[in-house]
Amino acid sequence: MSSAIYPSLKGRKVLITGGGSGIGAGLVEAFVKQGAQVSFIDLADTISEQLPAGAATFYKCDLTDIPALERTLAQIGTVDILLNNAANDDRHSLGDVTEAYFDNRIAVNLKHLLFCAKAVAPGMKANGGGAIINFGSISWHLGLPDLVLYETAKAGIEGMTRALARELGPDNIRVTTIIPGNVKTPRQMKWYTPEGERQIVEAQCLPGRIEPKHVAGLALFLASDDAELCTGHGYWIDAGWR
Ligand SMILES: NC(=O)c1ccc[n+]([C@@H]2O[C@H](COP(=O)([O-])OP(=O)(O)OC[C@H]3O[C@@H](n4cnc5c(N)ncnc54)[C@H](O)[C@@H]3O)[C@@H](O)[C@H]2O)c1
């Protein structure tokens, strides 16, 4: 299958959080293929071997450390497109939640998205616009088990998207949420047995497994000028899982 090339993405400055693995690595690869100038933040440099050396710039930073994140964002400078992708979906039940764990889960799944948006918005405004794409999740829409704090944060991301789209719209900054279904990544394969995978596919309308490249395809469109009037909403890539 041949994939779309968006002329408006060529040369654009793109920042991807959590670009070291999973969907984020797929995003790095996809935006590099568009000729964009890609930077990504992660805990470890695990850049895709598919990429030529130097194709994307890696910044090592713990996104839950907001002062360190702000220093990293200042180093990266102005960006045209921000993909707030990083998260952590460790399983937990209500009985396990302490105050410290609550704060930690909100820090890794919600807080940094807002501080990244806050840091890049003035530069986007000065450049005449930009796109911020937040990564939500189907999990809270389905009410999946053992993820109460992750789902709470992911629900918050959709609310934050709507609020920021309203606040930043006058500056021509578009803010959207991508809502993935179950995406086949190395980490996800830790949680799912072949039987579990089969159950997910059976609950989808389409029989295929979603891979990072499918999520990247939606992200490329939302980041491009072709999506110039798309803002304030969630866009699903879930093969019709319900
Ligand atoms: N894979 C799925 O099935 C699925 C489903 C729904 C939503 N999502 C969402 O899509 C996004 C990407 O998911 P994924 O499956 O690729 O996740 P992943 O766990 O495979 O990758 C997340 C990346 O973020 C990085 N990261 C995590 N915490 C960090 C921190 N504190 N500082 C810096 N980097 C950090 C990790 O090192 C990793 O490289 C997430 O927002 C996730 O919630 C994924």
Side-chain angles (χ1 to χ4, degrees):
M1 192 184 77
S2 57
S3 301
I5 293 288
Y6 294 92
S8 62
L9 293 178
K10 193 173 169 62
R12 288 274 165 94
K13 291 184 187 142
V14 178
L15 171 61
I16 298 163
T17 66
S21 64
I23 293 171
L27 294 170
V28 169
E29 214 174 302
F31 278 91
V32 164
K33 276 189 194 151
Q34 299 285 328
Q37 296 177 50
V38 180
S39 302
F40 69 99
I41 295 175
D42 211 303
L43 292 168
D45 183 2
T46 45
I47 188 164
S48 163
E49 287 166 7
Q50 312 291 321
L51 289 176
T57 310
F58 166 64
Y59 293 85
K60 180 174 180 172
C61 177
D62 180 348
L63 291 154
T64 65
D65 180 345
I66 299 300
L69 175 59
E70 287 176 336
R71 285 193 297 275
T72 302
L73 292 167
Q75 224 184 320
I76 293 169
T78 308
V79 301
D80 303 300
I81 297 157
L82 165 68
L83 293 115
N84 269 325
N85 163 75
N88 182 294
D89 64 351
D90 281 356
R91 271 45 176 176
H92 53 275
S93 59
L94 181 59
D96 298 332
V97 175
T98 60
E99 189 180 358
Y101 193 63
F102 180 98
D103 290 345
N104 171 269
R105 292 298 91 187
I106 296 303
V108 76
N109 288 315
L110 179 62
K111 194 173 176 183
H112 59 88
L113 285 81
L114 185 123
F115 282 92
C116 283
K118 182 184 175 203
V120 300
M124 289 180 175
K125 178 180 178 179
N127 282 348
I132 297 173
I133 302 174
N134 299 318
F135 280 71
S137 171
I138 196 172
S139 55
W140 69 273
H141 293 275
L142 294 178
L144 297 180
D146 301 326
L147 284 167
V148 57
L149 296 180
Y150 176 81
E151 291 179 27
T152 301
K154 289 294 181 182
I157 287 170
E158 288 190 44
M160 186 181 76
T161 292
R162 292 191 63 75
L164 291 182
R166 178 63 73 192
E167 184 165 343
L168 302 177
D171 299 325
N172 201 31
I173 299 169
R174 299 183 295 102
V175 189
T176 52
T177 309
I178 285 184
I179 304 165
N182 187 267
V183 184
K184 192 166 183 164
T185 59
R187 183 175 159 87
Q188 288 306 309
M189 295 318 290
K190 279 199 325 193
W191 309 121
Y192 290 101
T193 59
E195 171 60 13
E197 253 192 304
R198 196 180 54 74
Q199 284 171 1
I200 289 169
V201 172
E202 276 176 6
Q204 295 177 175
C205 299
L206 296 170
R209 286 293 274 128
I210 306 168
E211 294 174 28
K213 67 178 180 187
H214 300 115
V215 182
L218 177 56
L220 292 174
F221 168 71
L222 288 173
S224 76
D225 290 354
D226 292 64
E228 64 184 335
L229 289 178
C230 293
T231 196
H233 292 284
Y235 296 83
W236 296 72
I237 166 77
D238 68 346
W241 185 16
R242 56 176 112 108

